[in-house]
Amino acid sequence: MRSEVRWKLCWENELELADHVELAEFFRKTYGPTGVFNAKPFSGSQSWAGARPELRAIGYDSSGVAAHMGLLRRFIKVDGVDLLVAELGLYGVRPNLEGLGISHSIHALSPTLQELQVPFAFGTVRPELRKHVERFGRHGPVTVLSGISVRSTLPHARVDLPPTRVEDPLVIVLPVGRSMSDWPTGAIIDRNGPEL
């Protein structure tokens, strides 16, 4: 039987070292089964992989961290059009709680998204998660876009790799302060920073 999950919203500067250590362990255990490389950024007490979130929705139960969603406000460019978004990412749920789902994380963040007065929430996921994301989209005003390339910078400048990478993920858009009809059409999104 699952214990009840309680959600806590934390600004990044409110987290203590112990919180980062607990979150890093959560991400190693959550992302590790998808590949050792995916867990590597969370060594020691580092609780982020690319861009560092400014706000986190953290779900806790009697066993500790149960789920996590990060948020970072930024400007992206959709085919050259500047657009303020709240990027959502760094999503994870403990494997024994499958079904807790992304919708619970978004629900925990919804009032804050309204307070931040951003026009859209935006995120990307691997194409392998299409069914999961589309299931979530049936229960809310979420649009899943495909066929869009997303250009991001690497989290660290390296001499052996180009400074940017281009991927073709699923793009998730959640209208917050504007309608989906205001989302610019385009074939490429420039994140202008590392992925959250």
Side-chain angles (χ1 to χ4, degrees):
M1 184 170 147
R2 293 183 188 179
S3 60
E4 187 173 327
V5 173
R6 60 194 186 288
W7 289 92
K8 178 180 175 184
L9 295 177
C10 300
W11 291 98
E12 194 67 3
N13 63 358
E14 296 171 339
L15 295 174
E16 301 289 334
L17 178 59
D19 298 316
H20 287 291
V21 169
E22 183 179 28
L23 287 166
E25 181 181 353
F26 165 78
F27 286 121
R28 285 192 301 271
K29 289 179 179 176
T30 302
Y31 288 5
T34 65
V36 174
F37 179 80
N38 295 328
K40 188 176 179 183
F42 305 105
S43 63
S45 61
Q46 184 164 320
S47 64
W48 63 94
R52 192 167 175 172
E54 64 179 307
L55 180 70
R56 297 172 187 250
I58 307 169
Y60 293 94
D61 67 5
S62 60
S63 298
V65 176
H68 180 280
M69 174 78 73
L71 179 150
L72 175 65
R73 287 173 286 186
R74 67 176 0 151
F75 279 91
I76 61 172
K77 288 183 187 258
V78 181
D79 271 2
V81 176
D82 279 329
L83 186 63
L84 174 64
V85 297
E87 181 170 356
L88 302 177
L90 203 54
Y91 168 70
V93 63
R94 216 170 47 228
N96 67 317
L97 295 174
E98 291 298 328
L100 178 63
I102 193 170
S103 60
H104 293 276
S105 305
I106 297 284
H107 180 70
L109 281 171
S110 287
T112 303
L113 287 170
Q114 294 295 328
E115 289 171 18
L116 294 175
Q117 299 181 1
V118 292
F120 300 98
F122 152 85
T124 59
V125 297
R126 300 183 321 269
E128 295 82 9
L129 295 175
R130 176 179 289 280
K131 287 183 182 179
H132 175 72
V133 171
E134 286 175 344
R135 247 190 339 263
F136 165 62
R138 288 194 305 254
H139 303 291
V142 173
T143 300
V144 180
L145 305 170
S146 58
I148 298 173
S149 296
V150 179
R151 184 171 31 225
S152 308
T153 61
L154 297 181
H156 306 285
R158 295 179 44 172
V159 296
D160 61 332
L161 294 172
T164 61
R165 71 169 175 239
V166 178
E167 299 175 296
D168 295 313
L170 295 177
V171 173
I172 301 167
V173 179
L174 173 67
V176 178
R178 292 170 57 187
S179 73
M180 192 60 206
S181 63
D182 293 328
W183 180 265
T185 57
I188 188 152
I189 293 174
D190 279 300
R191 190 177 257 130
N192 293 316
E195 180 180 5
L196 178 61

